Amino acid sequence: MPNTTDFNGPAEGPIDLERLLPQAVARILEDEDPELFRTWLADHLPDFALGEMKNAPDDLFRAMAVPVSYMIWNATPLPDNNFRPRPLPKPNRNDPCPCGSGHKYKKCCSNAPPFPVLDPMVMWPLVLSNLSSDQIEQAASQRTLPLEALATAAIENLENDRPLVALELLRPHFEKPIKKAGPMDDFALQTLCDAYDELDQVDEKLELLERISQEPTKSPLRAGAWQRLAAIYLDNGDLEGGREAFTNALRDEPAAPSCSILEMQLLAMEEHFDQISTRAEFWLRTLQRSQWSPETIEHITDILEELIDNPHYAAALLNDHHVFTDDDLDDDEDLDETSLRLLDWVDLAIERPLPSYCTDENVLDLDDKDEVAGYLRRLGLSGKELDKAMKQIEEQTAEDLERENSEQPEPELSLVLEPPPEIEKLEAQWHAVSQLDKPFGFQDFPVQHWEGWEPEQSEQWIGFLEQHPEAADSLDILDDLVTTLFLYPDMPQPVLSREGIVPLLRRAVAIIEKNLAGIKKPCLLWNRLSNRPALRSLNRLYAMTRYGFEDLQEADRLAEFVFEINPHDNQGLHREYLNDLLRRGENERALAITEMFPNDVFVETVYGRLLALYRLGRLKSAQPLAEEAIAAYPLVARYLTRARIKKPAMSEFGIHIGGEDQAWLYREKMRETWQQSAGALDWLKKIMKLKGVRLQG
């Protein structure tokens, strides 16, 4: 055997362990035999050599295989040993060398370069990645895996789009109450909730959180459950529930970093912006004196520092409309290169002259499948993507027919804004490059998981835009770019909204207005697929204008323009607008909106018309309408009139028409407005008694 003490490998180590370990663990788990593993390693170790070691003789690799095999084997949890390592004792100096040379160990491989001791924590993700779901579930249920290993492996599976595996790893840990729960238990709980979210298992997640939040002993785990519940309540607009959950979380763990962000969100929802700066300073001092390392809480402290100077930035922390003010962050230093290049492109693109479109009465009828398929092919869709899009359109068309009143006549004129041929050709090229699906239906986002902001993909579409400034003349591409910005990984970002989304939407609406000017009763129907980018842009700009800039006059103008050109208002803007008018006390205008949609049976329209009539003193007309509203939606009346009522179970999949969840949501949005109308709720209670609807229950 060679004298291995003469080896002078690189200081960082002669073997690429990052590549070796996954393959070594896979080989160990084939038969869990240390001798067979050592033989395999001796044969394959040269494949993982680094630096000068690549030129070493074969005997040296065979000598190194002994300490390397001990290092890996002794740290690897073995399924047949209840997922615990089965370490081998180091050979005595006079024992035969394990390499099989026949020499004593002291005169053979004992002189091989030393290797560090591996922590089994490093090995857990590698072991679990080689097991079947059944093996993992069995090991987790037997609680033979340490929680650190379970959580680490679960995170890796979540990052690799395997949420079900992550769930199977962590769920058994929480089946029974945990004694002396610590921070790692909370970390595992948050990871498990993320897995539930990925799988849309909302009820299971809420059941788990509510059970843990009711455990008798204060702990980081119970605090974490309250924090998660507070975030869920705030996302659902339940301010009262969010405040209660936040208070409980703070009582359990007063210095929890995430509580600082929750309090900022609560203050923003309550519009207490005057308190945010002071509270942010308090939290910043608290966290700086806490046990948390600066690196661990860096993201939170950065937010708190911004909030001290810009309290209105707290609105950006909410999953709700963001109010844009001069105090907003306009610092773009945290944006990546692609988003900065896109903002530069927007600055130049919006200065282009507005293009002229052709208006055509009968373009792309959704009932003509061949025509729709041809249009989608021109957008770059093919194969499974085309089939999926066609199915979505068929489903949406059927839904539209159900929503629209069969007795309402179709408008005589159904226009489509058709771009110039060169722009239409550019659109096809864009779709091939961007690979971004359209959000068919009424949603703002596509169903597809789009990875276009990844560096290797973003270069393709941003490069295309930089080569084609005329892309800003396309309503279709402008619509995609707004969707792209909404899908930015770190949204909400005020600078992206203010300098990217809003200018793009304003340009799109300007193109629409220019090309419809002079047309008597212009109409862009939603069931013409080519009209959807234009109508979506109008609705998006309304939301930005009303809730971002709080420009009521311009928002009203945009809403009325939407109703003018799309009298069916398929996206339901009139219901949101009606609620807004009633909150503002504009009862005549609110009543006029309901008259534009006389057969709309949605709760907002039915009860909104009722409230407008009551406020205007037209009780003779309001009485029969109230009876009809109560008969159609008795739960809404009950939820409106009750001073206190328990929040029902909510679903992320939508609401149940006539259900308690629908009644709760309307109460949350409009009960305060009803309360401000003197006697309105008492009047509604009287009619409920006449109709035999119970106030309680």
Side-chain angles (χ1 to χ4, degrees):
M1 294 294 294
N3 183 358
T4 55
T5 56
D6 295 334
F7 174 75
N8 293 311
E12 67 272 21
I15 300 299
D16 186 350
L17 291 179
E18 187 175 349
R19 286 196 304 116
L20 170 61
L21 289 180
Q23 296 185 41
V25 170
R27 178 62 190 86
I28 288 173
L29 297 185
E30 285 184 15
D31 42 42
E32 299 187 26
D33 186 316
E35 296 300 327
L36 293 177
F37 168 61
R38 186 182 299 114
T39 302
W40 173 88
L41 187 63
D43 293 337
H44 292 83
L45 202 55
D47 299 335
F48 303 96
L50 291 173
E52 297 178 13
M53 190 65 190
K54 293 179 180 179
N55 300 317
D58 292 342
D59 287 348
L60 180 56
F61 284 112
R62 186 163 296 277
M64 290 181 62
V66 173
V68 174
S69 68
Y70 274 73
M71 175 187 70
I72 298 174
W73 175 271
N74 289 351
T76 302
L78 302 173
D80 286 350
N81 194 39
N82 291 324
F83 290 94
R84 293 192 296 270
R86 191 167 58 230
L88 297 172
K90 183 179 179 180
N92 293 319
R93 288 175 50 80
N94 292 317
D95 288 344
C97 186
C99 75
S101 65
H103 299 286
K104 290 184 179 181
Y105 178 62
K106 65 182 180 182
K107 294 185 177 180
C108 192
C109 295
S110 65
N111 295 320
F115 283 84
V117 175
L118 285 179
D119 188 335
M121 283 299 303
V122 176
M123 312 303 287
W124 276 113
L126 304 178
V127 170
L128 295 173
S129 67
N130 284 276
L131 301 181
S132 67
S133 297
D134 290 342
Q135 289 174 304
I136 292 172
E137 189 170 357
Q138 179 183 2
S141 64
Q142 293 173 350
R143 302 197 175 190
T144 55
L145 306 181
L147 183 57
E148 292 83 355
L150 290 170
T152 302
I155 287 290
E156 181 176 343
N157 278 284
L158 276 178
E159 291 175 349
N160 288 282
D161 296 325
R162 295 193 295 267
L164 184 58
V165 177
L167 187 147
E168 291 170 345
L169 284 168
L170 294 176
R171 182 165 52 187
H173 182 72
F174 297 99
E175 288 179 348
K176 298 178 181 178
I178 299 171
K179 297 180 180 179
K180 297 183 180 180
M184 181 53 67
D185 295 281
D186 176 45
F187 179 77
L189 173 65
Q190 304 305 325
T191 305
L192 177 56
C193 287
D194 291 342
Y196 277 128
D197 287 339
E198 290 289 330
L199 295 166
D200 291 326
Q201 296 185 12
V202 182
D203 293 341
E204 292 85 346
K205 177 184 70 174
L206 289 175
E207 181 182 351
L208 171 66
L209 290 172
E210 289 170 359
R211 174 168 58 81
I212 292 176
S213 70
Q214 299 306 314
E215 291 183 357
T217 306
K218 180 172 69 172
S219 69
L221 176 62
R222 193 175 76 173
W226 280 120
Q227 291 167 30
R228 190 86 181 205
L229 285 169
I232 292 171
Y233 292 145
L234 293 181
D235 285 346
N236 291 335
D238 181 0
L239 186 56
E240 182 179 351
R243 171 64 70 179
E244 181 181 357
F246 167 73
T247 302
N248 288 327
L250 203 60
R251 186 181 298 117
D252 276 5
E253 195 172 9
S258 54
C259 280
S260 65
I261 302 302
L262 284 172
E263 183 173 2
M264 300 302 105
Q265 291 174 312
L266 277 164
L267 291 173
M269 288 188 71
E270 296 168 336
E271 298 187 356
H272 294 323
F273 291 99
D274 57 323
Q275 301 177 24
I276 287 176
S277 180
T278 301
R279 293 302 298 168
E281 284 190 52
F282 165 79
W283 274 108
L284 188 61
R285 292 195 304 270
T286 299
L287 295 180
Q288 287 172 342
R289 294 194 300 264
S290 71
Q291 61 183 354
W292 299 95
S293 68
E295 295 78 13
T296 303
I297 58 174
E298 181 179 6
H299 176 63
I300 291 177
T301 55
D302 286 348
I303 292 175
L304 293 173
E305 288 171 352
E306 297 291 358
L307 288 169
I308 292 171
D309 296 327
N310 304 297
H312 280 83
Y313 180 55
L317 304 177
L318 301 171
N319 290 329
D320 202 346
H321 301 295
H322 171 65
V323 179
F324 301 118
T325 72
D326 292 337
D327 290 332
D328 269 335
L329 297 177
D330 54 7
D331 189 356
D332 57 11
E333 65 181 12
D334 292 331
L335 299 179
D336 60 21
E337 180 184 356
T338 302
S339 56
L340 292 173
R341 290 165 66 184
L342 179 55
L343 293 182
D344 289 341
W345 182 86
V346 171
D347 287 341
L348 297 175
I350 60 176
E351 299 299 327
R352 292 178 57 82
L354 296 177
S356 295
Y357 274 54
C358 191
T359 54
D360 195 318
E361 292 186 34
N362 298 300
V363 176
L364 198 59
D365 190 334
L366 293 185
D367 293 330
D368 189 331
K369 295 183 179 180
D370 292 338
E371 192 172 352
V372 172
Y375 174 79
L376 293 174
R377 289 191 188 95
R378 291 195 298 275
L379 294 184
L381 274 68
S382 62
K384 292 183 179 179
E385 291 182 351
L386 177 61
D387 294 339
K388 183 175 72 173
M390 290 294 293
K391 183 178 180 181
Q392 288 177 318
I393 293 172
E394 290 176 10
E395 292 173 352
Q396 190 61 60
T397 303
E399 184 179 342
D400 292 346
L401 290 174
E402 291 178 4
R403 287 172 180 261
E404 295 174 7
N405 175 27
S406 59
E407 297 178 359
Q408 185 173 354
E410 183 80 5
E412 293 182 3
L413 190 61
S414 179
L415 300 176
V416 168
L417 292 174
E418 195 172 35
E422 62 273 15
I423 295 300
E424 190 172 14
K425 181 179 179 181
L426 188 70
E427 289 171 350
Q429 296 171 356
W430 161 257
H431 288 291
V433 168
S434 69
Q435 297 294 307
L436 177 65
D437 284 350
K438 286 290 185 188
F440 296 107
F442 305 128
Q443 301 301 317
D444 265 336
F445 306 104
V447 177
Q448 161 212 32
H449 176 66
W450 189 64
E451 298 181 349
W453 283 104
E454 295 296 327
E456 63 275 8
Q457 296 190 30
S458 63
E459 181 58 39
Q460 299 180 34
W461 60 263
I462 192 64
F464 177 90
L465 291 175
E466 290 170 339
Q467 294 174 14
H468 298 284
E470 70 274 19
D473 298 345
S474 164
L475 289 170
D476 186 19
I477 297 177
L478 291 173
D479 175 50
D480 278 355
L481 290 176
V482 172
T483 301
T484 296
L485 284 165
F486 278 135
L487 293 174
Y488 186 72
D490 294 327
M491 282 297 275
Q493 289 276 0
V495 65
L496 289 183
S497 296
R498 192 178 58 251
E499 298 182 16
I501 292 174
V502 172
L504 291 171
L505 289 174
R506 285 177 174 165
R507 178 170 177 82
V509 172
I511 293 172
I512 298 167
E513 291 176 328
K514 172 193 172 181
N515 286 279
L516 293 183
I519 298 177
K520 188 177 181 180
K521 294 183 178 179
C523 192
L524 300 179
L525 291 185
W526 179 261
N527 67 1
R528 299 293 190 269
L529 195 62
S530 299
N531 286 339
R532 295 189 179 184
L535 294 173
R536 194 159 36 239
S537 294
L538 272 165
N539 277 268
R540 284 170 163 174
L541 185 57
Y542 167 83
M544 289 284 186
T545 304
R546 172 63 185 90
Y547 300 104
F549 296 102
E550 295 188 338
D551 185 344
L552 297 182
Q553 184 175 357
E554 177 62 11
D556 289 348
R557 187 190 73 80
L558 288 169
E560 290 166 5
F561 185 45
V562 170
F563 306 148
E564 177 188 1
I565 67 174
N566 182 23
H568 294 311
D569 183 31
N570 307 78
Q571 292 172 287
L573 174 60
H574 68 279
R575 297 189 287 275
E576 177 185 349
Y577 186 52
L578 173 59
N579 285 345
D580 191 31
L581 290 174
L582 290 169
R583 294 188 194 102
R584 290 152 53 183
E586 299 192 33
N587 304 309
E588 290 282 6
R589 293 180 66 186
L591 187 60
I593 293 297
T594 68
E595 291 170 351
M596 292 174 62
F597 304 91
N599 298 301
D600 189 345
V601 296
F602 281 86
V603 166
E604 295 86 351
T605 308
V606 173
Y607 276 82
R609 179 176 177 80
L610 177 60
L611 181 58
L613 287 170
Y614 176 86
R615 284 176 161 185
L616 294 169
R618 295 165 58 175
L619 298 185
K620 186 176 180 180
S621 299
Q623 174 85 24
L625 181 61
E627 294 179 5
E628 293 174 7
I630 292 168
Y633 297 105
L635 290 176
V636 173
R638 183 184 300 165
Y639 271 70
L640 273 177
T641 53
R642 291 280 299 277
R644 294 183 63 84
I645 195 166
K646 183 179 179 181
K647 181 180 179 179
M650 308 297 288
S651 171
E652 293 185 5
F653 298 106
I655 62 172
H656 300 85
I657 302 300
E660 292 187 88
D661 52 352
Q662 183 186 42
W664 172 269
L665 291 174
Y666 185 74
R667 171 193 169 94
E668 286 288 284
K669 293 177 183 176
M670 295 301 293
R671 187 172 192 273
E672 184 177 350
T673 305
W674 276 81
Q675 285 178 308
Q676 293 169 353
S677 310
L681 291 178
D682 290 336
W683 172 73
L684 192 59
K685 288 179 183 179
K686 293 178 182 178
I687 300 176
M688 290 172 66
K689 291 180 180 178
L690 290 174
K691 298 296 293 181
V693 175
R694 292 181 297 115
L695 297 177
Q696 306 295 321

